[in-house]
Amino acid sequence: MKGFTLLEVIFSLAIIAILTGMVTTSFRTAQIKKEQQGIVQSITASLEKQKSDSQTGKDGSNYGVRFATSSYMTFKGTAYASTSASNIVTTLDSNFQISETITNSTNVIYFSKLTGGANETATITVSHITDRVPPALLTVESSGAISVIE
């Protein structure tokens, strides 16, 4: 009878362990990318809604979005007031963070009534804390155009 040696069994198990680790890492990276895309879509949808509400003159007001590291807030008007009951706060999963480049110091973008133009140009970056996937970027132009940069 011929069987396997202990060395052959150990070598086979090592190969299986390495392949399992590689597959698990690939799946986790894909999962992180999918979560990041969901966050980007949510931010984009919020920006588009605020722009649309401004363009239609809903309640005769402007609408905007304020960004923080772990959340973003939609608001009515041209200035964010933390005590306003109409604010909607969206908090990110703790593994993701937002950074933005907005020329004003309040981290606020609001859209003009009727035209939908933005008060500032901005680049919003959504990144995972482990840097397993590249950051996702959104831009807001002064015309109000909102783009996702892949």
Side-chain angles (χ1 to χ4, degrees), residues 15-137:
I15 290 173
I16 291 169
I18 290 168
L19 291 174
T20 301
M22 289 170 53
V23 168
T24 302
T25 300
S26 293
F27 281 131
R28 181 62 185 136
T29 300
Q31 181 182 21
I32 290 169
K33 184 69 175 166
K34 196 68 162 168
E35 290 173 21
Q36 183 183 49
Q37 288 171 344
I39 293 168
V40 168
Q41 288 174 350
S42 178
I43 293 172
T44 302
S46 293
L47 286 165
E48 290 287 358
K49 181 181 182 320
Q50 297 302 83
K51 177 182 168 183
S52 175
D53 286 351
S54 292
Q55 283 179 305
T56 60
K58 181 179 176 185
D59 297 330
S61 186
N62 302 74
Y63 290 83
V65 180
R66 180 182 186 275
F67 295 95
T69 303
S70 60
S71 62
Y72 60 95
M73 295 65 80
T74 59
F75 64 92
K76 180 178 176 180
T78 59
Y80 174 73
S82 60
T83 57
S84 176
S86 64
N87 293 346
I88 298 173
V89 178
T90 304
T91 303
L92 301 184
D93 176 305
S94 62
N95 292 316
F96 290 91
Q97 59 188 10
I98 296 173
S99 58
E100 80 293 314
T101 306
I102 303 174
T103 52
N104 66 35
S105 61
T106 58
N107 303 333
V108 166
I109 297 170
Y110 67 85
F111 298 95
S112 298
K113 291 184 275 185
L114 303 178
T115 67
N119 67 315
E120 304 286 344
T121 60
T123 301
I124 297 106
T125 305
V126 178
S127 53
H128 190 263
I129 59 172
T130 65
D131 293 327
R132 274 191 175 170
V133 296
L137 303 173

